[in-house]
Amino acid sequence: MGRKLAIGDIHGGLRGLVQLLERIDLTPEDQLIFLGDYVDGWSDSANTVTYLIELAKQNSCIFIRGNHDDLAHRWLETGELNQKWLEHGGQSSIDAYRNFSEDEIKAHLKFFSEMFNYYKDDQERLFVHAGFTNLHGPDFEYHETGFYWDRTLWEMALSLNENLQPDHQFYPKRLQHFEEIFIGHTPVTRIGETTPVHKANIWNVDTGAAFKGPVSAIDVNTKEIYQSDPVHQLYPGESGRN
């Protein structure tokens, strides 16, 4: 029986992803749940998507939509340019697609359009890029953008009194719907960490690959953690989002 592995933000750092999967010693029986943000950062944004498309032919893969993926998808599909996107890694994706053929781009558009906003497994675990805001759970969310932009879920977990029990009347209702929640989006390097961080029932697996951290994965059953080298070391001469 294979493992179930959640993989954090990649941001075009394909060399980090390949190294990570080598260290995982990936087998075809392993299921991979990617938590989003495959593009924007290092020079391999487009190549990362190509690699993931091929990887899904070997392994069971679930691809969650990240905010950077949504922005890149909009640009590829309509030419929409968002100035903030350009400032936060978008230009690297534009550069990465310059030599791609129409057929390759068409395949990538299909990949982006088929991503999931969130995924729930049969053990009451949620996988989502950023979070959700509806107290009744993600199925009741009014605007799908929250799934890949929200930061309040993680901020709430960071600020929660560790002595507050889940059955307490003040315990956040958003956290009561799932045994565990796995997210990316907000690098844990912002709080001085370099490995996935566990707060309340949330695991944040974004370890800052876009900046100076590694690409990380966690076995959702055993909680064993795997990591690449810091991605910036694998792309000498590039700045990523630093």
Side-chain angles (χ1 to χ4, degrees):
M1 185 174 177
R3 298 164 292 179
K4 180 179 289 189
L5 299 152
I7 297 177
D9 302 36
I10 302 166
H11 285 288
L14 178 58
R15 296 172 191 171
L17 174 61
V18 171
Q19 187 182 69
L20 171 69
L21 295 180
E22 289 173 349
R23 291 177 177 178
I24 286 172
D25 195 16
L26 186 68
T27 71
E29 289 73 36
D30 295 326
Q31 181 183 36
L32 304 174
I33 303 173
F34 289 88
L35 296 172
D37 279 2
Y38 314 104
V39 299
D40 296 354
W42 304 101
S43 59
D44 276 326
S45 285
N47 293 332
T48 297
V49 175
T50 298
Y51 183 88
L52 293 174
I53 291 171
E54 292 302 312
L55 181 64
K57 297 175 182 178
Q58 169 189 299
N59 284 79
S60 171
C61 294
I62 292 171
F63 299 109
I64 304 296
R65 178 178 289 105
N67 56 310
H68 286 270
D69 310 315
D70 180 62
L71 290 166
H73 183 197
R74 290 171 182 269
W75 168 71
L76 277 175
E77 191 167 53
T78 68
E80 178 183 335
L81 286 173
N82 181 299
Q83 185 59 39
K84 288 295 183 184
W85 174 57
L86 295 176
E87 294 171 3
H88 293 280
Q91 186 62 52
S92 66
S93 289
I94 292 174
D95 294 340
Y97 276 102
R98 291 193 192 282
N99 297 318
F100 268 55
S101 69
E102 284 189 24
D103 286 343
E104 288 173 315
I105 290 175
K106 186 176 180 180
H108 284 212
L109 283 169
K110 184 175 185 290
F111 174 83
F112 282 117
S113 67
E114 292 177 347
M115 290 178 187
F116 294 93
N117 284 329
Y118 61 94
Y119 168 71
K120 297 183 291 184
D121 72 5
D122 58 3
Q123 296 187 48
E124 299 302 318
R125 294 181 292 210
L126 174 71
F127 302 83
V128 63
H129 179 64
F132 62 95
T133 60
N134 197 298
L135 297 185
H136 299 290
D139 293 345
F140 297 88
E141 198 79 340
Y142 287 103
H143 304 289
E144 68 174 26
T145 53
F147 297 126
Y148 41 89
W149 279 106
D150 176 67
R151 296 195 197 274
T152 65
L153 188 75
W154 178 238
E155 288 181 342
M156 177 177 66
L158 286 176
S159 63
L160 193 64
N161 186 326
E162 294 182 358
N163 295 319
L164 195 65
Q165 297 301 308
D167 59 354
H168 194 280
Q169 63 174 327
F170 293 156
Y171 196 83
K173 288 183 172 56
R174 279 189 286 173
L175 300 181
Q176 295 176 345
H177 298 290
F178 301 99
E179 287 295 322
E180 293 179 308
I181 301 173
F182 293 83
I183 66 170
H185 190 46
T186 305
V188 299
T189 48
R190 294 185 181 180
I191 55 172
E193 301 291 342
T194 56
T195 58
V197 173
H198 184 213
K199 293 291 183 182
N201 63 340
I202 298 178
W203 281 93
N204 186 336
V205 196
D206 180 359
T207 50
F211 303 99
K212 293 190 176 180
V215 181
S216 296
I218 183 171
D219 183 319
V220 301
N221 292 316
T222 68
K223 303 304 183 289
E224 185 171 359
I225 290 169
Y226 306 86
Q227 295 186 291
S228 72
D229 292 344
V231 177
H232 73 99
Q233 296 177 5
L234 304 176
Y235 287 89
E238 295 187 25
S239 59
R241 293 182 59 201
N242 294 294

